[in-house]
Amino acid sequence: MTPVLPSPTWFIGCGNMGGAIVAGWRTAGIDLSNATVIRPSGTPVEGVRTVSGYPEAGVPPRLVVLAFKPQKLDEVAPQLQPWLTSRATVVSILAGVQIATLRQRFPKAGAIVRAMPNLPVAIRRGVTALYTEDADDGLKQQLGDLFAALGWAMWAADQEKFSAVGAVAGAGPAYVARFIAALAKAGEARGLSSETAATVALETVLGTSWMAATTGESMADVARRVASPKGTTEAGLAVLDHDHVLDELIGLTIDAAARRGAELAEEAKLASEPSLH
Ligand SMILES: NC(=O)c1ccc[n+]([C@@H]2O[C@H](COP(=O)([O-])OP(=O)(O)OC[C@H]3O[C@@H](n4cnc5c(N)ncnc54)[C@H](OP(=O)(O)O)[C@@H]3O)[C@@H](O)[C@H]2O)c1
């Protein structure tokens, strides 16, 4: 059964990620006729009524998806707060902004939910982590179904686990994109045209992921099946595996992103504390 979006639903901001969610829900056949995008530019979003101000949005929302940059929270909260009632659920995709900070900004809202989707939600192959402290089981089921329509979705047991999924999946497509580009560069260095190298690299990653996803085999098994003992792949893997260089690099990459996430969370928290003056 196609999941149902609460009516009305407001998207506050709808750029890269909001647009990806809308595109995925549209493709999934979810009815967006009672959804409205509110964004300062009023730039139209395909398939959803778009306005540039709250008064034009109409009836107060049952679901609000916060899809602007975390730095805009201070600007948006006072404008949105008057439109919220205890019947409104706020779903925030703002990276790093904790539940406590959101609750402080939106005291009148019913439930507050954090969602951390990644860009492939646009084509319904995304990963979304969800976390709430106050949604009831019925609401969790409904939101879980809506995000599962965009790929794979899970409710995290605590905010640390939520952040852990987000750290890997949220920014993950950017890291995977760099890996595919590096594979392509290696092809170009060996004389392939840039188009051919890009296709070879992309299809290799796509095929490997698809194969593992359909067979359920581990990555260690996939590598073992490609690398015959003392063969060429094994010689290549010896470089990648040396001193766990790739694991180290990915670990450092994700640590750096997590540090930035903590900084953003701190900025949002500080901005929301009452002034001493
Ligand atoms: N990109 C990702 O892969 C990803 C992954 C997970 C989570 N996120 C989260 O998604 C959020 C949005 O990121 P993004 O990459 O989609 O950013 P983006 O493309 O820059 O889009 C930002 C949106 O916010 C709107 N906006 C700006 N000021 C606003 C205001 N005062 N009131 C209402 N809307 C306002 C913009 O509207 P106009 O265009 O009209 O100015 C635009 O639609 C961030 O909080 C980020 O942490 C992103």
Side-chain angles (χ1 to χ4, degrees):
M1 221 169 60
T2 312
V4 176
L5 205 56
S7 174
T9 288
W10 287 5
F11 290 87
I12 314 297
C14 197
N16 279 315
M17 186 43 78
I21 293 172
V22 166
W25 278 342
R26 218 180 44 233
T27 313
I30 288 167
D31 181 8
L32 291 162
S33 60
N34 289 315
T36 300
V37 166
I38 303 166
R39 63 190 297 187
S41 66
T43 307
V45 175
E46 195 187 339
V48 192
R49 188 171 82 100
T50 307
V51 299
S52 57
Y54 294 83
E56 299 155 69
V59 183
R62 292 296 295 268
L63 178 69
V64 181
V65 181
L66 306 181
F68 47 82
K69 296 278 189 198
Q71 296 88 330
K72 296 275 177 179
L73 184 58
D74 264 337
E75 191 180 314
V76 171
Q79 294 174 345
L80 175 60
Q81 177 62 17
W83 300 91
L84 296 181
T85 67
S86 61
R87 283 153 57 92
T89 299
V90 172
V91 173
S92 162
I93 66 165
L94 277 51
V97 179
Q98 305 281 312
I99 288 275
T101 304
L102 294 164
R103 176 49 78 193
Q104 191 181 28
R105 298 310 181 83
F106 304 112
K108 284 200 279 176
I112 294 197
V113 175
R114 289 184 69 188
M116 188 48 56
N118 66 6
L119 224 38
V121 293
I123 52 137
R124 306 187 61 210
R125 293 295 324 187
V127 168
T128 305
L130 295 161
Y131 178 73
T132 185
E133 292 173 359
D134 45 23
D136 64 26
D137 287 348
L139 182 57
K140 282 177 78 173
Q141 180 76 46
Q142 185 180 19
L143 293 174
D145 289 347
L146 281 163
F147 281 96
L150 300 176
W152 189 82
M154 62 161 274
W155 285 99
D158 53 49
Q159 246 172 147
E160 285 67 41
K161 299 223 172 48
F162 171 86
S163 300
V165 178
V168 175
Y175 309 147
V176 174
R178 284 283 201 272
F179 178 77
I180 296 172
L183 270 186
K185 269 183 212 153
E188 272 190 74
R190 275 152 193 79
L192 296 180
S193 71
S194 59
E195 291 79 21
T196 303
T199 304
V200 168
L202 177 68
E203 291 294 332
T204 300
V205 171
L206 197 58
T208 308
S209 302
W210 197 250
M211 183 177 72
T214 48
T215 61
E217 66 189 321
S218 70
M219 290 304 148
D221 284 341
V222 171
R224 205 170 297 123
R225 284 212 288 134
V226 182
S228 45
K230 307 226 181 312
T232 52
T233 310
E234 200 174 78
L237 284 178
V239 176
L240 271 187
D241 293 345
H242 182 68
D243 282 345
H244 305 287
V245 63
L246 188 59
D247 294 348
E248 280 278 321
L249 190 60
I250 298 293
L252 287 172
T253 301
I254 288 183
D255 285 351
R259 272 197 305 280
R260 181 64 188 136
E263 277 171 20
L264 289 174
E266 202 49 42
E267 281 167 25
K269 236 190 263 168
L270 288 176
S272 69
E273 276 164 10
S275 165
L276 297 173
H277 304 291

